[in-house]
Amino acid sequence: MQSAAWRCCASRSAVVLPTRCHSFRAAATVEQRFLHWRGIHSRANNKRQQNPVAFPEPSSRVVSCVRRFANSAQKMTSKYQIAERGAPNSTDYRVYLKNENGQAISPLHDIPLYANDAKTVYNMVVEVPRWTNAKMEISLNEGLNPIKQDVKKGKLRFVANCFPHHGYIWNYGAFPQTWENPDHLDADTGCKGDNDPIDVLEIGSRVAKRGEVLQVKILGTIALIDEGETDWKIITISVNDPVADQVNDINDVETVFPGLLKASVEWFKIYKIPDGKPENQFAFNGEAKDAAFATKTVEETHRFWQQLVNKEVDDNGISCLNTTVDGSPYLVANDAADEVFAKSSTGGNQEPVSETLDKWHYITLK
């Protein structure tokens, strides 16, 4: 079933651009597809000059279609660098971020929430790439807030595979410069915040990298109630995704990605059950709210972060060390931030590969 297709016909000749289906099979990038089409178009032009009757000029529909395709190939690029420290699969492993000048920064405090002046595109820090199981998260209590793996009972934590899902089913991460205030009672959910940056699900076709900063647009949100706390999950798509222009609000998600919203609610409902915990609950009976609602929620958590980083509220154990927030009492010089990075561990004892990665759990809900 095709979710997006570029098909243009011109009189006696037809140009069929590559299609994309919901299986998201391995395919060329948008730029590669466009360059491929441009090569075909260039050869057609040469033949048209030799035989204008057999190869007529393309119709306006072709030209319009190609312009749309070319525009979709103009990507927003990230200027942040990933710096891994410590042995992978060990409790010492960390992923730090650096800016374009190679200076260490905090992914929580030093990356702007908004990626454009219109405040319609957001920066998302990827903690967990799709199809992986390691429970990676921004470390709140460490200087520069590197990404590390959660530890449970002294062991690295992995989420279970609950049939038919394998690992996380989206690129999972957080919006920088947001904070779900644990002292704020949310009027919509009736629960307080969970003391974390707001969580983000990126549903596009590409599997991102751990620590990557994606530029995304907001589509909607679901509200998980996790052990009595509000845990918003903001649904987004990378603005560089081939179908990003077709998905602008929550209703579009079901049209372009049929079944994904239902699967997402199910995933959060059951993913802790193999660990002996009850199924998670949701506000609004698991109904996803639209982009306007989600945008308002993100704006609120951004204001909470501003209070946090400016020391207007208790830090709740969060390191607010930063290099860019003017007026923040936690602001430090670049040299001081680089020193924090330099002192981070480069060792660590790798743990054996967890059996969780291969095991499949079959969950039956009542």
Side-chain angles (χ1 to χ4, degrees):
M1 177 180 178
Q2 295 176 351
S3 62
W6 297 90
R7 297 186 181 275
C8 306
C9 297
S11 187
R12 294 171 59 185
S13 63
V15 176
V16 181
L17 296 179
T19 61
R20 178 179 179 278
C21 69
H22 285 298
S23 63
F24 296 136
R25 60 184 179 273
T29 64
V30 173
E31 294 95 338
Q32 289 171 334
R33 296 182 212 172
F34 179 63
L35 290 174
H36 173 70
W37 182 91
R38 189 169 64 182
I40 296 173
H41 182 58
S42 177
R43 291 192 295 273
N45 275 341
N46 293 336
K47 293 181 178 180
R48 185 180 298 111
Q49 291 172 2
Q50 298 170 6
N51 191 345
V53 175
F55 296 92
E57 288 294 325
S59 69
S60 59
R61 183 165 174 245
V62 174
V63 175
S64 175
C65 181
V66 172
R67 285 174 179 166
R68 286 172 61 201
F69 189 78
N71 289 338
S72 71
Q74 297 176 0
K75 293 190 173 184
M76 295 186 70
T77 57
S78 176
K79 59 184 179 180
Y80 301 100
Q81 306 172 27
I82 298 169
E84 297 178 290
R85 302 282 282 182
N89 207 45
S90 78
T91 55
D92 286 340
Y93 177 73
R94 299 289 186 276
V95 177
Y96 286 85
L97 269 73
K98 294 187 175 185
N99 63 17
E100 56 190 336
N101 298 318
Q103 295 167 336
I105 61 171
S106 162
L108 177 58
H109 305 300
D110 292 319
I111 297 176
L113 170 61
Y114 300 104
N116 66 346
D117 292 337
K119 297 184 177 181
T120 56
V121 179
Y122 299 75
N123 286 311
M124 169 196 176
V125 180
V126 177
E127 298 166 312
V128 187
R130 190 171 68 239
W131 309 140
T132 63
N133 300 72
K135 184 69 172 71
M136 308 297 296
E137 57 189 13
I138 292 174
S139 177
L140 298 181
N141 59 5
E142 297 182 28
L144 296 184
N145 314 108
I147 297 171
K148 69 172 186 178
Q149 191 164 353
D150 190 22
V151 176
K152 182 179 180 180
K153 297 181 180 178
K155 296 292 183 180
L156 297 175
R157 184 182 169 194
F158 297 87
V159 298
N161 299 314
C162 297
F163 182 82
H165 313 300
H166 185 281
Y168 286 72
I169 62 175
W170 346 255
N171 294 311
Y172 185 84
F175 277 148
Q177 298 188 344
T178 62
W179 178 53
E180 296 188 66
N181 188 346
D183 294 322
H184 171 74
L185 185 66
D186 189 278
D188 293 304
T189 66
C191 297
K192 295 182 178 181
D194 68 352
N195 198 40
D196 283 331
I198 201 164
D199 294 327
V200 183
L201 320 178
E202 193 281 316
I203 64 174
S205 61
R206 177 176 167 270
V207 177
K209 298 177 181 178
R210 183 182 297 159
E212 187 174 0
V213 180
L214 303 180
Q215 286 69 55
V216 303
K217 61 180 177 179
I218 291 176
L219 307 175
T221 186
I222 52 179
L224 177 67
I225 305 300
D226 191 355
E227 299 182 9
E229 297 175 333
T230 301
D231 190 4
W232 294 105
K233 309 296 181 183
I234 307 297
I235 302 165
T236 70
I237 190 169
S238 168
V239 296
N240 298 325
D241 191 84
V243 298
D245 60 341
Q246 301 177 36
V247 191
N248 297 295
D249 213 325
I250 199 65
N251 291 331
D252 300 328
V253 176
E254 182 60 26
T255 300
V256 181
F257 302 90
L260 182 57
L261 286 177
K262 181 180 179 181
S264 298
V265 171
E266 178 187 81
W267 193 96
F268 283 113
K269 184 175 290 187
I270 67 177
Y271 84 105
K272 289 185 178 181
I273 291 179
D275 297 329
K277 294 187 176 181
E279 65 180 71
N280 279 321
Q281 303 299 314
F282 292 85
F284 320 118
N285 294 318
E287 175 190 352
K289 294 296 185 178
D290 63 16
F293 185 100
T295 299
K296 181 180 177 182
T297 300
V298 172
E299 290 172 349
E300 183 177 56
T301 61
H302 181 54
R303 289 193 295 271
F304 292 151
W305 168 82
Q306 290 173 327
Q307 296 171 355
L308 176 72
V309 79
N310 287 305
K311 212 172 184 176
E312 296 173 11
V313 295
D314 186 80
D315 62 23
N316 284 275
I318 298 174
S319 171
C320 296
L321 188 74
N322 70 85
T323 63
T324 59
V325 185
D326 291 338
S328 169
Y330 304 103
L331 181 70
V332 299
N334 290 327
D335 289 347
D338 287 338
E339 186 177 351
V340 173
F341 171 77
K343 289 182 177 179
S344 61
S345 175
T346 57
N349 297 317
Q350 294 190 27
E351 294 186 7
V353 176
S354 173
E355 295 180 356
T356 303
L357 299 179
D358 297 323
K359 189 174 182 180
W360 228 342
H361 298 267
Y362 290 80
I363 308 298
T364 301
L365 296 175
K366 297 180 180 179

